[in-house]
Amino acid sequence: MKYSKEQELAIKHVNGPCMVIAGPGSGKTAVITGRIKYLIESAGVSPADILVITFTRAAASQMEQRFKAMTKGHDYRVRFGTFHSIYFWIIKTAYNLNNQSVISNDEKRKIIEKILGGMSLEYENKEDIISSILSQISIVKCDMINIENYYSKDMPEDVFREVYRRFHHEMNRFGKIDFDDMMVMCYELLNKRPDILKSCRNIFKYIMVDEFQDSNKIQYEIFKLLAKPLENVFVVGDDDQSVYGFRGARPEIMFLFEKDFKNTRKYYLVDNYRCDRIITGVSSKLIADNKKRFDKKLVSKKSEEGKYEIVSTTDVNSENEAIIANVREHYALGIPYEEQAVLYRTNIEPRRLVYKLNQFNIPYTISDSLPNIFEHFVVKGVLNYMRFAMGDRSRAVFLQIMNKPGRYISRNLLIEDEIDFNELRYRARDKEYVVERIDKLMADLRLISKMRPYPALNFIRNAVGFDDYIKDYAEFRQLDADELYEVLDEFASMIVDFKSYAEMFEFIEEYSEVLKKQQIEERDKKGLKLMTMHSSKGLEFDCVYIMNVVEGCIPYRKAKTSAEIEEERRMLYVAMTRARHELYVYTPKEVSGKPKNKSSFLE
């Protein structure tokens, strides 16, 4: 294989610390495998002394296969693995652990659910809260934060700290650890046991790390322990592609590397072999606006100009139609569906696109599970109002609406399985203010029964007071009320044309079936690729279509600090550099019924 001058210099680096800053499509995997081969065949390094760390098992396996293909006829026993697998290997013997010691995600979720129940913490959005708690527990460990100094984003700090302590008590009781515990235990073991640390250093004399920009603090601290005193470390990464802040990834670790490892040799791989010239050009202009980055500029090695187009549409519906038209047009020109990808910032954005793809019989795969909006607790709340107004008088449905907003109706008043308002009024006769609220609810439900779904939704939100309930709930649970309102806005835009409740509920059933079918089918089937910007990292396609490049979507409206805005810009940069030949960026003027401005990133 022919290497560029910079690639060759990196490959031939043998001893001492080295950092390779490798832009998208710059051939970093070729450099890593090429250097392993060079160390063994030209520098006389034993394969057993080489450790190659990647971030996923799939990446480790792929890297190993690439290396074996390059060195056919030789059985070089180089160790490939993830941070977690290597650190687990180190602690297994010391702590008498095995694979059964590692807890599954489902088990962790059940523990958190049990803890919330034991603390009488009831949440409407229970699944989201459990995910958030687990994510925050991970951040506490990965960032090596003292729990007393951590402030939760969606519950009072004392409550979160108690959940954290109970979670660890349960884990210890069952003798289980998770992936973050592996790193905490490994760090503690290497600090407590200099003999084990010395053994590890003797085994791992040459350490290489791929995707170094995705390292978190504790991974880096262990890496530093293992690297001393030889410092034969070779890290490859791109600070411009660090997009996993929510998992604890810290791109600033790349800047720390030079301080922690003196006399670091640094090489820049800026030649892009993937993207046509115009795509490389606009991507470079975009990312240049980030202040905290290594100064570099991608250079396309392609002869083709390529295509870059910003497509303005009226709303999300017209955006979906434009994307589908474009996909079909390229397919007719001979570009397979699987060489085309639709990318988006969050996994809720392609909801209606998926429905339309089914209508047009366009095969597709989704890399991230697509949440069903009709299962979201705020939408379910509104749907229950509509169901009750349509004649469903079941106690189960009434329980979901009777105090949203608060009406002070006690559960003790509900005796039968079917609700009879006259009976309810009679049982509440001693409390005139409750009777008044029951009468108002009865009147509201009569009006709702005569409306079409869209005006009924607005009536429930405003006149009935469901938005007030959301505001109070969000404040109590430390959630963002605007985010919940946005879900209802999106729901509104999906039902605006329905003339009856029957028509709407038929659509909901159909849509839910589409989602179920999609989840059951094989993920690796052929078809148009739908994925978040996060999931697209490391992939490439002939044509890329990026949805909703508008303020509030990208950058995401929760991004407030300069560091968060810079990560959002990196995310768009990653998405744009997935395109080999054609890149389309869509900017709808309206999303979920709200006017939107084109993303400031596009300026």
Side-chain angles (χ1 to χ4, degrees):
M1 179 178 176
K2 194 173 186 323
Y3 298 108
S4 70
K5 182 183 176 184
E6 203 76 359
Q7 285 176 325
E8 197 164 336
L9 287 170
I11 286 169
K12 290 181 177 179
H13 178 92
V14 179
N15 293 315
C18 178
M19 178 160 61
V20 178
I21 297 161
S26 62
K28 70 180 177 66
T29 304
V31 168
I32 294 170
T33 51
R35 181 175 183 258
I36 303 168
K37 185 174 186 285
Y38 183 84
L39 286 176
I40 297 166
E41 296 183 354
S42 300
V45 174
S46 167
D49 290 343
I50 302 171
L51 170 64
V52 184
I53 299 176
T54 66
F55 271 79
T56 65
R57 278 182 296 182
S61 174
Q62 188 181 42
M63 188 83 72
E64 188 171 8
Q65 294 311 312
R66 286 276 293 269
F67 174 66
K68 284 181 176 175
M70 179 188 274
T71 55
K72 275 183 181 170
H74 298 280
D75 186 20
Y76 296 135
R77 298 297 178 94
V78 175
R79 184 186 290 273
F80 292 84
T82 62
F83 273 120
H84 290 115
S85 68
I86 300 303
Y87 296 168
F88 186 50
W89 179 81
I90 292 171
I91 65 174
K92 261 199 302 196
T93 307
Y95 293 109
N96 193 28
L97 300 170
N98 55 44
N99 290 339
Q100 278 67 51
S101 307
V102 183
I103 194 168
S104 71
N105 279 330
D106 281 346
E107 288 174 305
K108 283 165 72 171
R109 296 184 76 86
K110 283 174 185 170
I111 289 174
I112 295 293
E113 186 174 2
K114 180 183 171 188
I115 290 167
L116 294 179
M119 293 173 66
S120 299
L121 297 171
E122 292 183 12
Y123 288 92
E124 293 274 11
N125 55 330
K126 186 172 68 178
E127 291 304 312
D128 291 341
I129 288 293
I130 291 172
S131 297
S132 175
I133 289 170
L134 288 172
S135 173
Q136 290 179 81
I137 288 172
S138 181
I139 290 287
V140 170
K141 294 178 190 174
C142 292
D143 274 356
M144 305 172 80
I145 301 169
N146 184 323
I147 187 61
E148 297 304 324
N149 298 330
Y150 182 78
Y151 295 87
S152 172
K153 61 184 181 181
D154 44 28
M155 59 177 60
E157 54 266 23
D158 58 326
V159 175
F160 177 79
R161 289 166 192 165
E162 182 60 24
V163 171
Y164 182 90
R165 291 185 191 99
R166 292 191 186 197
F167 177 71
H168 278 283
H169 174 76
E170 288 296 292
M171 294 277 279
N172 291 334
R173 193 163 70 88
F174 292 116
K176 295 281 190 178
I177 63 168
D178 63 15
F179 287 115
D180 300 317
D181 293 324
M182 288 177 192
M183 295 187 289
V184 172
M185 292 167 74
C186 185
Y187 178 73
E188 290 172 350
L189 176 68
L190 295 179
N191 275 294
K192 282 191 300 190
R193 294 285 301 274
D195 56 325
I196 293 176
L197 177 58
K198 185 179 178 183
S199 296
C200 290
R201 285 171 172 173
N202 285 334
I203 296 169
F204 307 133
K205 293 189 176 113
Y206 288 82
I207 304 175
M208 302 172 70
V209 182
D210 187 21
E211 303 286 9
F212 189 62
Q213 77 281 349
D214 293 333
S215 305
N216 60 45
K217 185 175 180 181
I218 197 162
Q219 286 169 342
Y220 182 55
E221 291 301 322
I222 300 169
F223 166 80
K224 283 196 298 183
L225 285 171
L226 294 173
K228 306 290 182 179
L230 293 176
E231 296 193 347
N232 290 329
V233 287
F234 185 92
V235 300
V236 182
D238 182 8
D239 54 312
D240 289 336
Q241 295 188 75
S242 179
V243 294
Y244 293 115
F246 67 97
R247 289 186 195 161
R250 299 290 175 256
E252 57 268 23
I253 283 171
M254 291 192 72
F255 297 95
L256 288 173
F257 184 85
E258 286 183 280
K259 294 177 182 175
D260 293 326
F261 295 92
K262 307 299 180 190
N263 306 313
T264 292
R265 294 300 301 270
K266 197 159 58 176
Y267 299 101
Y268 288 90
L269 305 186
V270 293
D271 290 343
N272 181 293
Y273 299 94
R274 175 192 300 155
C275 310
D276 288 347
R277 285 181 298 168
I278 193 169
I279 297 168
T280 304
V282 294
S283 303
S284 293
K285 284 181 183 176
L286 168 79
I287 201 62
D289 270 355
N290 273 8
K291 301 293 183 283
K292 292 184 179 177
R293 63 187 291 265
F294 290 109
D295 188 22
K296 57 192 175 295
K297 184 177 180 181
L298 276 184
V299 178
S300 178
K301 302 303 284 184
K302 304 285 285 294
S303 58
E304 296 89 349
E305 180 70 14
K307 186 173 183 180
Y308 167 66
E309 187 178 329
I310 297 176
V311 183
S312 177
T313 65
T314 309
D315 54 21
V316 170
N317 283 329
S318 54
E319 176 187 49
N320 290 339
E321 287 165 5
I323 290 171
I324 287 173
N326 225 335
V327 168
R328 296 177 79 192
E329 183 184 335
H330 285 100
Y331 181 73
L333 291 171
I335 299 173
Y337 287 128
E338 51 271 18
E339 286 299 335
Q340 303 183 59
V342 180
L343 309 182
Y344 33 85
R345 173 63 181 83
T346 64
N347 65 345
I348 63 173
E349 291 173 60
R351 283 173 175 146
R352 278 178 283 174
L353 177 63
V354 163
Y355 192 74
K356 281 199 171 293
L357 288 170
N358 280 284
Q359 287 181 323
F360 281 91
N361 289 317
I362 296 175
Y364 62 91
T365 61
I366 303 181
S367 296
D368 314 86
S369 62
L370 187 63
N372 187 346
I373 189 171
F374 305 114
E375 291 296 321
H376 195 287
F377 79 93
V378 293
V379 175
K380 284 170 84 173
V382 169
L383 291 175
N384 281 323
Y385 266 103
M386 294 176 178
R387 286 190 181 96
F388 205 85
M390 286 170 65
D392 184 340
R393 291 290 183 267
S394 65
R395 182 178 185 272
V397 171
F398 188 70
L399 279 167
Q400 300 304 312
I401 68 170
M402 67 179 189
N403 286 314
K404 298 176 185 175
R407 299 185 178 93
Y408 305 101
I409 302 173
S410 169
R411 280 175 176 249
N412 298 331
L413 299 177
L414 312 181
I415 297 172
E416 294 85 12
D417 288 336
E418 294 285 315
I419 300 302
D420 182 324
F421 276 119
N422 290 326
E423 284 292 323
L424 203 58
R425 292 179 83 257
Y426 178 75
R427 292 183 195 127
R429 62 190 181 280
D430 294 336
K431 295 177 180 173
E432 192 176 331
Y433 62 94
V434 176
V435 174
E436 286 174 4
R437 284 166 173 78
I438 292 171
D439 288 343
K440 166 95 169 45
L441 176 58
M442 289 167 62
D444 288 341
L445 288 166
R446 276 195 295 271
L447 288 170
I448 292 167
S449 70
K450 296 170 185 172
M451 295 178 180
R452 288 169 53 231
Y454 182 73
L457 168 62
N458 290 326
F459 181 79
I460 293 165
R461 292 183 66 176
N462 301 308
V464 175
F466 195 74
D467 272 11
D468 294 333
Y469 154 72
I470 289 175
K471 183 183 175 185
D472 291 342
Y473 179 80
E475 193 174 312
F476 180 56
R477 295 303 185 200
Q478 291 184 234
L479 301 174
D480 186 342
D482 287 338
E483 192 170 312
L484 301 179
Y485 293 147
E486 275 187 9
V487 174
L488 288 177
D489 292 340
E490 169 71 4
F491 172 54
S493 65
M494 293 177 83
I495 66 169
V496 66
D497 295 325
F498 292 125
K499 294 179 174 56
S500 69
Y501 292 120
E503 188 183 351
M504 180 193 72
F505 278 108
E506 186 181 349
F507 167 79
I508 290 172
E509 195 173 326
E510 264 180 48
Y511 182 90
S512 300
E513 283 303 314
V514 164
L515 288 191
K516 276 184 202 166
K517 185 183 171 193
Q518 187 275 323
Q519 287 164 3
I520 292 167
E521 289 174 353
E522 293 292 322
R523 285 198 168 198
D524 59 354
K525 72 173 186 181
K526 292 190 179 297
L528 175 70
K529 306 299 181 189
L530 274 62
M531 61 185 71
T532 60
M533 294 175 181
H534 282 109
S535 294
S536 73
K537 196 164 169 291
L539 303 175
E540 54 187 80
F541 307 92
D542 285 346
C543 300
V544 168
Y545 315 95
I546 308 179
M547 295 178 70
N548 300 338
V549 186
V550 293
E551 289 294 302
C553 294
I554 180 77
Y556 193 48
R557 58 183 187 74
K558 282 187 175 179
K560 305 293 184 189
T561 66
S562 58
E564 289 168 340
I565 294 294
E566 293 212 341
E567 178 157 323
E568 292 291 310
R569 190 179 282 110
R570 292 195 294 268
M571 212 146 354
L572 182 57
Y573 174 73
V574 165
M576 292 171 77
T577 52
R578 301 310 95 199
R580 295 189 194 105
H581 307 303
E582 298 189 29
L583 173 63
Y584 298 87
V585 170
Y586 293 84
T587 58
K589 292 174 183 172
E590 188 180 281
V591 176
S592 300
K594 298 288 176 69
K596 293 288 182 183
N597 294 319
K598 187 166 67 173
S599 172
S600 56
F601 291 164
L602 296 179
E603 299 302 319

